[in-house]
Amino acid sequence: MSIEFPLREKLTLFGRVSDPTIPVTIQTRAGARTYMFLVDTGADCAVAPRHLAQQVGLVWPSLPPAQMVGIGQGGVSTRVGPLTLQVGPWTFTVRCMFVEGPRAPFILGRADFLDRLILTIDPVQRRIILTECS
């Protein structure tokens, strides 16, 4: 089974570039909410803001701390917890690094997400295709 999403673009210093974001539905204490997550093959795992952890009912002090490293010096302090999400017909629970701060990203990485799906980005047809691994 496959599902498709439009491949959006964003304006950057380099001009227009592809922005492979997809809508992800999360069941929060206030009901279902949809967020746009970047599908990032370079990310080890999912990343989301702290406020999302709280919205799904996770207790911040009880989540194990972790250090997230990436581009730049040092790292960012995070907490790790489960996040259940729905993408099209599929429901996944992914291990997520929750980050404090108003500009924390929404990212889907390889662990628990892209290791279950085949990702195709078609820049000609302007679409993102996710296919279930058989």
Side-chain angles (χ1 to χ4, degrees):
M1 169 187 275
S2 294
I3 55 173
E4 295 185 15
F5 301 94
L7 179 58
R8 295 166 169 49
E9 290 183 332
K10 64 182 179 180
L11 189 57
T12 71
L13 294 173
F14 304 105
R16 292 182 132 348
V17 297
S18 295
D19 186 24
T21 56
I22 62 171
V24 174
T25 302
I26 310 283
Q27 290 297 327
T28 70
R29 290 180 293 176
R33 299 206 44 201
T34 300
Y35 299 91
M36 295 303 289
F37 276 74
L38 174 69
V39 181
D40 185 351
T41 61
D44 291 339
C45 62
V47 178
R50 175 183 178 163
H51 69 82
L52 186 57
Q54 295 167 319
Q55 288 176 0
V56 299
L58 298 174
V59 179
W60 189 255
S62 70
L63 298 175
Q67 195 74 5
M68 182 171 62
V69 293
I71 297 173
Q73 302 292 330
V76 175
S77 295
T78 69
R79 299 284 178 140
V80 179
L83 181 63
T84 301
L85 47 94
Q86 183 175 353
V87 177
W90 304 306
T91 300
F92 298 102
T93 299
V94 299
R95 291 166 285 178
C96 186
M97 297 183 97
F98 294 100
V99 180
E100 290 196 64
R103 298 179 60 194
F106 289 85
I107 296 173
L108 293 172
R110 295 183 311 273
D112 306 324
F113 188 74
L114 287 176
D115 60 0
R116 298 179 184 180
L117 300 168
I118 299 165
L119 169 67
T120 304
I121 297 177
D122 182 344
V124 175
Q125 297 286 323
R126 308 287 322 142
R127 62 188 179 159
I128 299 166
I129 306 162
L130 293 173
T131 306
E132 194 170 24
C133 292
S134 49

